[in-house]
Amino acid sequence: MKPCSQPSVYPSVTHRANPQAPNVVEVEGLRKSYGRTVAVDEVSFSVREGEIFGLIGPNGAGKTTTMECVEGIRQPDGGRISVLGLNPRRDADRLVHRIGVQLQEAQLQKRIKVGEAVDLWASLYAAPVDSAALLDQLGLTAKRGAKFMTLSGGQKQRLFIALALIHDPEIVFLDELTTGLDPQARRTIWELVLGIKQRGKTVFLTTHLMEEAERLCDRVAIIEHGRLIEMGSPAELVRRHCPQREVIFTSTWRGEAAAFEGLGSVTSAVVDDGVFTLGGEGEEFVSEVIEFLAATSIKVRDFRTVLPTLEEVFLKLTGHLIRD
Ligand SMILES: Nc1ncnc2c1ncn2[C@@H]1O[C@H](COP(=O)(O)OP(=O)(O)O)[C@@H](O)[C@H]1O
Ligand SMILES: [Mg+2]
């Protein structure tokens, strides 16, 4: 398979977190084994205030274990973790009011109603947010009286987000939030997660969906077999590991595709039934092609650029697709 050639559905991420923001989570040399299985092996990273940070990797990579150690739910074997300057195990009582947690594969009593669950969760905290407003924000107002078991997968996940937000936490942890949801429900959740960030919260999420990471995350850390193998913004990682770009356009021009190969940044050029596909690298590539088309007065019917995705970064780094 040819790496670095799939179209990116979301080529540009418009939101950017402040790179000067202080770290709200710091993890250094985290280790955790279950018997002989090393789940997390010397993992270090930090999460900045106000960003969406994604721990991404395939099933079994160690994402949930890492996240649960950071939340204080799991006891690490080694390493240092600080969350809002606190130790998640020792200071659990203080931290519980400042972080919101959505667990992978969470369940509720099946007959509990949405409104009852929210009220119950609210009763656990000294200063909960307004539950009606929260349900409204998550599009669950009409489901207030619905039993948990009657909710769709997307509605259940929205309820879990509501429960994680009930005490207005500073950091929200979301573990594989959209796994198993259909594309429509997934998009709704993505909008909600971006909304959480826009209200000034920090989001720490895990996902094995590269499109989700690309869409949501300011920065990602790629984890495989318990080890972090790369870290950075999705765009940085694509630039670093998959600098190839493609320009595809349709034209009635009858010239040779090879004419484009004279341009410095073009590395390949083919034409098939009037569809020209040019491969190239570097900042100048797309402009060079456009300037050549203009200078040669070649008329094009459509024109698009294709950027590599995080999926291809993963493939490049590991030699296999994340779906494997
Ligand atoms: N409670 C557990 N007992 C034994 N092994 C576990 C347990 N939880 C996770 N593991 C193992 O640890 C590794 C990492 O799992 P996990 O952190 O759940 O990864 P991910 O969330 O990336 O899928 C896997 O090999 C998994 O089988
Ligand atoms: Mg997991």
Side-chain angles (χ1 to χ4, degrees):
M1 155 175 227
K2 192 168 125 251
C4 305
S5 60
Q6 300 297 308
S8 172
V9 182
Y10 296 102
S12 61
V13 177
T14 48
H15 54 93
R16 271 285 153 263
N18 171 13
Q20 315 298 320
N23 292 336
V24 288
V25 172
E26 286 178 345
V27 174
E28 236 181 80
L30 178 66
R31 282 184 292 110
K32 175 75 183 173
S33 297
Y34 303 103
R36 272 199 230 144
T37 307
V38 180
V40 179
D41 191 5
E42 293 293 333
V43 160
S44 303
F45 62 91
S46 42
V47 179
R48 295 178 193 139
E49 183 176 55
E51 75 175 345
I52 301 182
F53 182 88
L55 192 56
I56 65 179
N59 281 331
K63 303 182 296 297
T64 296
T65 303
T66 302
M67 182 173 263
E68 290 184 352
C69 287
V70 174
E71 292 162 350
I73 296 171
R74 244 170 235 287
Q75 172 81 61
D77 298 335
R80 197 187 63 83
I81 302 176
S82 150
V83 179
L84 295 165
L86 300 171
N87 176 320
R89 298 287 293 181
R90 201 187 53 218
D91 306 317
D93 291 350
R94 278 199 278 165
L95 213 46
V96 78
H97 298 282
R98 300 179 64 187
I99 66 172
V101 172
Q102 170 267 331
L103 298 173
Q104 189 175 9
E105 293 169 23
Q107 282 298 331
L108 289 180
Q109 211 276 338
K110 48 183 196 186
R111 288 195 171 71
I112 195 168
K113 291 179 181 161
V114 168
E116 291 169 349
V118 170
D119 291 341
L120 176 63
W121 253 249
S123 73
L124 302 173
Y125 297 98
V129 298
D130 178 55
S131 64
L134 186 60
L135 286 177
D136 191 41
Q137 216 175 75
L138 294 171
L140 287 171
T141 303
K143 291 284 162 190
R144 206 180 161 84
K147 293 185 178 122
F148 180 72
M149 64 181 178
T150 67
L151 301 179
S152 70
Q155 289 162 348
K156 282 181 183 164
Q157 288 299 44
R158 279 187 272 148
L159 175 58
F160 287 126
I161 298 178
L163 299 180
L165 294 175
I166 195 85
H167 54 300
D168 199 26
E170 291 157 67
I171 310 176
V172 186
F173 293 88
L174 307 171
D175 194 2
E176 299 263 3
L177 190 61
T178 67
T179 299
L181 299 187
D182 62 62
Q184 181 62 41
R186 188 166 281 159
R187 268 158 216 271
T188 306
I189 302 263
W190 289 349
E191 289 309 312
L192 294 172
V193 174
L194 289 171
I196 296 173
K197 171 184 144 151
Q198 269 147 24
R199 286 191 297 280
K201 313 290 179 197
T202 305
V203 178
F204 180 7
L205 60 82
T206 75
T207 183
H208 69 278
L209 300 169
M210 296 295 108
E211 183 190 347
E212 177 163 289
E214 210 148 15
R215 175 82 179 104
L216 295 181
C217 296
D218 297 294
R219 291 189 310 128
V220 296
I222 301 178
I223 184 169
E224 198 189 39
H225 303 308
R227 287 175 171 264
L228 280 199
I229 54 176
E230 235 323 358
M231 200 155 27
S233 75
E236 258 165 37
L237 297 191
V238 168
R239 264 198 306 275
R240 197 175 301 155
H241 298 287
C242 295
Q244 301 92 326
R245 302 276 177 277
E246 269 181 352
V247 162
I248 300 175
F249 62 86
T250 313
S251 174
T252 52
W253 187 59
R254 291 284 161 251
E256 295 284 323
F260 290 92
E261 283 170 358
L263 302 176
S265 60
V266 174
T267 53
S268 66
V270 290
V271 59
D272 182 17
D273 200 18
V275 180
F276 289 76
T277 304
L278 312 180
E281 274 187 29
E283 302 294 319
E284 299 303 315
F285 168 55
V286 179
S287 342
E288 267 193 11
V289 172
I290 292 172
E291 281 159 18
F292 182 85
L293 291 171
T296 329
S297 299
I298 296 175
K299 299 262 179 298
V300 300
R301 240 183 299 138
D302 53 53
F303 183 99
R304 66 193 167 97
T305 56
V306 181
L307 301 176
T309 63
L310 266 187
E311 183 82 47
E312 286 146 294
V313 170
F314 188 84
L315 175 64
K316 191 82 171 274
L317 289 171
T318 65
H320 60 86
L321 287 170
I322 199 158
R323 289 185 282 270
D324 288 357

